Amino acid sequence: MAECPLLDQCKFYEKYQNIDDKTLLEGFVNRFCNGNFEQCVVKKITEDHNMDYVPDNMLPDGMPEPGTDDSEWSEDIIDYM
């Protein structure tokens, strides 16, 4: 299966690599990073803008990480959902 070409700069993937318990996020990595990365919202935003534009708490499906919210996201980011 192909890997996303943006893995080396992806905020989500970097965070995933640096946590001890990968269980919660492993499904996202399998689904988006190592699979259907064309549907990844992080990738879409990065292609249209750059990785700095992606919120730090955004998951590949465009939702905020558990325990966080999108209250500080710009309207531009919310429009990607």
Side-chain angles (χ1 to χ4, degrees), residues 5-6 38 42-51 80:
L6 300 178
E38 292 303 325
V42 172
K43 182 178 185 294
K44 290 176 185 179
I45 293 171
T46 301
E47 289 174 336
D48 289 348
H49 301 282
N50 62 55
M51 189 59 71
Y80 276 90

Side-chain angles (χ1 to χ4, degrees), residues 16-52:
Y16 169 78
Q17 293 301 314
N18 292 314
I19 60 172
D20 292 331
D21 185 5
K22 295 179 175 19
T23 307
L24 179 64
L25 301 178
E26 191 169 17
F28 286 104
V29 171
N30 290 335
R31 179 175 173 198
F32 293 101
C33 307
N34 297 325
N36 198 1
F37 52 82
E38 292 303 325
Q39 291 186 358
C40 176
V41 176
V42 172
K43 182 178 185 294
K44 290 176 185 179
I45 293 171
T46 301
E47 289 174 336
D48 289 348
H49 301 282
N50 62 55
M51 189 59 71
D52 293 333

Side-chain angles (χ1 to χ4, degrees), residues 52-66:
D52 293 333
Y53 208 75
V54 177
D56 291 337
N57 66 332
M58 179 177 272
L59 296 171
D61 65 353
M63 299 301 293
E65 292 175 2

